[in-house]
């Protein structure tokens, strides 16, 4: 048990190291790319990429299935056969790459050229970006089985270093854009493809070198293949829903308001991605353990991990989110200079939605670990896909574009409730215990913080200089940490965290 906790802590530290460096480079890269490409081209790049993503729902489902079966198999220890799962996964992903290529070059190409809202003069660039985006996503598909191996074996140090390398390469792309005189939109898409290819090769080489016990077998595992495909088939509902409320909304915004609003949504998404990495590193370190506890039938540890993962994820996100929400206007001005006016509200609403999304992470991972996902996927997918009709109706009614993000928040809350109901059925998780151990502490912390934030905006005001941003952010972060310590964590959880910190400090001092 102690070694498992230490592994989680070690992997979390690696993921946080990655997060800090990647976030800094991502935010800088986004700023320069927006400046170099311009608002219109930046919007084109993101919405065209969104059309390609529409066809990757099959791969997203298989990626989830691959991760689940790898971790479940490793949880069996000597009884597991990871090579069998790897061989099946690799063959299936090759087939998926072929299917997505056909769909993207037929339906996708037709939709891009006949239904999307682009200027006629930009169609040459749009089609080039589209073809390069297809190639980029095909490489990402082929990387999935190797990425699954890395995560299942909990080699987070490689994952962290690889992400940092990818961010450095993207930073180099930015500098190349600044000094070249060719078509910058097409060049950016091409260089992104090159970086994706290099990172994919790195994953393949690392896996072959470090997981020598994992061998590709040219054997027909018919029964296991059917099981994985069946699981993936139901997982596809969730992937379709994710694509729907992310890329589908992006397309609706384009149809209703044009590429400038797309650019605002893309910037807000960049902020969300950067902030969510704080939580993503923690949850990604825990996910293999959640799945392995299911294969080991260790119910008590599994439920303890669920409660702590949900609560800690929320508080990690909250501590970072509060000063950003309060000072969003100045942060965007400092970061980007000029930006679409809708970006402020989009970003604030996306962060609020991400806070709710944090609570769902360990829930759906545990549900997937059970393998019983058919009814769950149908219901949750329907809930999330309601984003599209509701958003379409409100856009047609000439509502503000930010209303689509309000709809998303409401549906996130409903999806959280649905997941809790399914966990009670599948793992006997007590909803009342979840409310008592997770939801109530969050309310105890959020209530005074909401009052402080409201008073801060209305009586003290938002930051007007970098110095204001620093001291106001530090004040809000310290307030959040103090309130979390007093009202958000139990005595056992505080002792757990202090024990981890002391253990890491003793190891550092002994070096």
């Amino acid at each position: 048990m102690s070694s498992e906790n230490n592994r989680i802590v070690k992997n979390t530290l690696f993921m946080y190291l990655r997060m800090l460096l990647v976030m800094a480079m991502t935010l800088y890269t986004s700023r320069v790319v927006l400046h170099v490409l311009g608002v219109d081209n930046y919007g084109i790049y993101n919405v065209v990429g969104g059309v390609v993503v529409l066809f990757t729902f099959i791969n997203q489902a298989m990626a989830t299935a691959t991760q689940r079966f790898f971790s479940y198999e490793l949880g069996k220890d000597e009884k597991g056969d990871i090579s069998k799962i790897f061989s099946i996964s690799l063959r299936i992903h090759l087939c998926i790459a072929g299917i997505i290529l056909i769909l993207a070059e037929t339906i996708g190409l037709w939709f891009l050229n006949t239904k999307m809202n682009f200027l006629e003069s930009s169609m040459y660039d749009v089609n080039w970006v589209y073809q390069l985006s297809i190639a980029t996503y095909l490489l990402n598909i082929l990387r999935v089985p190797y990425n699954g191996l890395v995560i299942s074996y909990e080699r987070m140090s490689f994952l962290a270093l690889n992400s940092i390398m990818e961010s450095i390469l993207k930073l180099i792309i930015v500098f190349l854009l600044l000094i070249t005189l060719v078509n910058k939109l097409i060049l950016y898409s091409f260089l992104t493809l090159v970086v994706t290819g290099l990172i994919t090769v790195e994953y393949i080489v690392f896996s072959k070198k470090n997981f020598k016990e994992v061998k590709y077998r040219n054997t027909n595992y018919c029964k296991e293949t059917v099981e994985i495909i069946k699981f993936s088939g139901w997982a596809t509902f969730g992937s379709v829903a994710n694509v729907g409320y992310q890329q589908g909304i992006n397309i609706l915004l384009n149809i209703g308001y044009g590429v400038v609003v797309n650019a605002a949504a893309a910037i807000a998404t960049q902020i969300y991605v950067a902030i969510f990495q704080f939580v993503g590193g923690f949850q990604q370190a825990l996910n293999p353990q959640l799945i392995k506890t299911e294969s080991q039938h260790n119910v008590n540890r599994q439920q303890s991990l669920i409660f702590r993962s949900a609560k800690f994820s929320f508080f990690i996100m909250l501590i970072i989110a509060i000063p950003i929400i309060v000072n969003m206007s100045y942060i965007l001005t400092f970061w980007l200079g000029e930006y679409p006016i809708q970006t402020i509200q989009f970003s604030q609403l996306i962060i609020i939605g991400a806070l709710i999304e944090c609570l769902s992470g360990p829930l759906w991972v545990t549900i997937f670990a059970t393998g019983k996902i058919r009814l769950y996927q149908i219901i949750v997918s329907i809930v999330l896909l309601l984003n599209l009709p509701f958003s379409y109706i409100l856009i047609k009614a000439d509502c503000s574009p930010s209303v689509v993000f309000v709809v998303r928040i409401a549906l996130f809350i409903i999806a959280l409730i649905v997941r809790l109901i399914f966990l009670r059925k599948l793992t006997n998780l007590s909803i009342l215990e979840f409310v008592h151990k997770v939801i109530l502490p969050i309310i105890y912390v959020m209530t005074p913080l909401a009052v402080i934030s409201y008073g801060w905006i209305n009586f003290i005001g938002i930051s007007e200089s970098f110095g204001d941003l620093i001291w106001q952010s530090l004040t809000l972060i310290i307030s959040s940490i103090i309130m979390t310590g007093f009202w958000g964590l139990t005595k056992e959880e505080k002792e757990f965290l202090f024990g981890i910190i002391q253990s890491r400090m003793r190891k550092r001092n002994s070096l």
Side-chain angles (χ1 to χ4, degrees), residues 273-292:
V273 169
I275 296 175
F276 201 79
Q277 287 183 71
F278 280 89
V279 177
F282 177 68
Q283 289 190 342
Q284 197 167 42
L286 272 173
N287 288 348
Q289 290 291 325
L290 282 169
I291 297 171
K292 289 172 184 177

Side-chain angles (χ1 to χ4, degrees), residues 340-471:
I341 190 63
Q342 299 92 344
T343 309
I344 297 174
Q345 199 167 29
F346 283 8
S347 301
Q348 291 170 332
L349 291 171
I350 279 181
I351 292 173
I352 293 171
L355 283 167
I356 299 167
E357 200 176 4
C358 287
L359 298 173
S360 289
L363 305 185
W364 73 258
V365 170
T366 306
I367 292 170
F368 271 57
T370 67
K372 301 172 183 178
I373 64 170
R374 182 181 64 177
L375 184 59
Y376 161 80
Q377 283 296 84
I378 293 173
I379 295 177
V380 170
S381 296
I382 290 173
V383 170
L384 294 180
L385 283 171
L386 287 174
N387 273 284
L388 297 181
F390 288 162
S391 296
Y392 180 78
I393 291 170
L394 293 170
I395 288 173
K396 286 297 182 182
D398 291 328
C399 292
S400 166
S402 61
V403 73
V404 300
F405 298 103
V406 176
V407 171
R408 190 169 81 157
I409 291 171
L411 292 174
F412 276 173
I413 295 172
I414 296 173
L416 174 66
I417 296 170
V418 170
R419 289 178 175 118
L420 285 171
I421 293 171
F422 271 92
L423 262 185
R424 181 183 64 180
K425 178 181 178 181
L426 296 173
T427 67
N428 292 320
L429 181 79
S430 171
I431 296 179
L432 288 178
E433 192 174 2
F434 185 88
V435 171
H436 176 71
K437 291 186 175 181
V438 180
I439 303 299
L440 287 181
I442 287 173
I443 293 174
Y444 296 152
V445 174
M446 279 293 298
T447 302
L449 275 179
V451 174
I452 291 173
S453 299
Y454 178 81
W456 196 291
I457 293 173
N458 288 277
F459 298 105
I460 298 178
I462 61 175
S463 302
E464 296 181 355
S465 68
F466 186 73
D468 287 346
L469 176 66
I470 295 299
W471 79 261

